[in-house]
Every structure is written in C-alpha cells, then in structure tokens.
Amino acid sequence: MPLTNPCTKLDLLKNAYYDDFKQLKEIKVGGRVSNMWKAKYQLFGENCQVFSWGGKQHSYSCRLVAPNEETAQNYYHNAKKITQQCLGDEWQLEESKRKHDDGMKAVFTNHDAKHSEQVSFSTHLVPTSGLFSTTWTLYYYVGNSSQPSKKAD
C-alpha cells in the first residue's frame, strides 16, 4: 500500500534493507552485473528498482527527472532536509561534489550502527547534457555505502 508520510517511507525502507527489500520486489528484470527488480511501490520519485550486487548486497533506487536546474536544486535540498528530519541526529550528513560530473551528492549514515547494520540514505543531483540542453535528474538510494553503486559517483 503506498505511503504518503516521508518519515514512514524512510522507516519502511530502512527496515526493508535488512530483509533485502523482499517486500518491495515485483518484476525481475535482467542485468549483466546485478539482478534488478521493478519496485512494487514508488516510494520516492519514479522508476524505483531494487538491485542485488553479488547476490548478497541490495539497494533501492529511484530517480526523478526535473524540468530545469532550479527545480532539481529544490528537489535535492528538500530530499536532504526531509531525510535529516526523519532520521534524526544520530545520522551524519556527508555532502560533496560528484566525481564524474558537476552534480552533488548527500549521504546520510549512522556511524554508530554495527557494521552489519550500516545502511545509508543518499540523494544525488545529476546533470545530463544533451545535444540542445542539459536536464537534471535526482537519484535516491538506500543501501550499504560500501557496496558498488551503478550511478552513485
């Protein structure tokens, strides 16, 4: 059942991480490096999927395309603000420029959690240059920050 409260969504995603997002997996789609499933619910953005890396590490990912840079910046700042409010003070924000483009990334991690429970929430603001214009996409990830990420940097 779709949820509307952002904090309830984050809590559901955090709990789902510990169960490999099983309750969010719907249709399996092929992948060369990883297994992918279309997500049952679009908890953030659009086109949400669950990825499995090596069969053991899973992440949940969504993307939202913005009509312009200003809107994308607003999405990014709102995602950071809501995530911080919902997760609380024990979660640390690390924000930096992305390595391979002019975008930004914000990663929330609870460093006090046991290593086996180290889930992170991140949002990435990504510019995509086209022939006639640049579009901006916001990605939202939930998973272990030490796992490989398809578009993370």
Side-chain angles (χ1 to χ4, degrees):
M1 177 156 182
L3 305 169
T4 56
N5 180 310
C7 293
T8 303
K9 290 179 182 183
L10 286 174
D11 195 46
L12 181 138
L13 288 170
K14 183 171 55 172
N15 292 329
Y17 167 77
Y18 298 119
D19 193 27
D20 297 333
F21 300 101
K22 285 180 185 169
Q23 69 269 33
L24 297 178
K25 294 176 183 175
E26 185 174 45
I27 299 169
K28 188 172 183 177
V29 290
R32 286 192 260 174
V33 178
S34 67
N35 291 313
M36 295 182 292
W37 293 263
K38 181 179 176 184
K40 289 180 184 178
Y41 307 116
Q42 309 302 302
L43 294 176
F44 288 94
E46 303 164 346
N47 302 316
C48 298
Q49 297 179 323
V50 175
F51 294 90
S52 168
W53 306 99
K56 294 185 180 189
Q57 297 179 343
H58 289 75
S59 63
Y60 178 86
S61 171
C62 296
R63 71 179 174 92
L64 180 62
V65 177
N68 55 52
E69 183 178 1
E70 181 182 351
T71 302
Q73 289 281 352
N74 286 335
Y75 289 163
Y76 177 75
H77 292 295
N78 284 336
K80 283 191 319 182
K81 183 175 120 183
I82 290 168
T83 303
Q84 183 69 68
Q85 288 172 347
C86 293
L87 293 178
D89 293 336
E90 64 271 8
W91 292 77
Q92 295 81 36
L93 167 63
E94 295 175 28
E95 188 170 22
S96 61
K97 287 197 143 298
R98 289 171 41 89
K99 292 178 185 173
H100 303 293
D101 55 46
D102 292 330
M104 294 292 295
K105 69 178 178 176
V107 180
F108 290 89
T109 310
N110 181 350
H111 296 292
D112 295 332
K114 290 188 265 181
H115 184 69
S116 62
E117 297 176 0
Q118 286 266 327
V119 61
S120 63
F121 292 81
S122 65
T123 186
H124 296 247
L125 179 62
V126 182
T128 307
S129 295
L131 185 57
F132 298 108
S133 66
T134 298
T135 60
W136 291 83
T137 305
L138 189 76
Y139 290 92
Y140 199 87
Y141 297 98
V142 179
N144 187 306
S145 60
S146 65
Q147 74 186 31
S149 57
K150 204 166 167 83
K151 297 183 182 187
D153 285 322

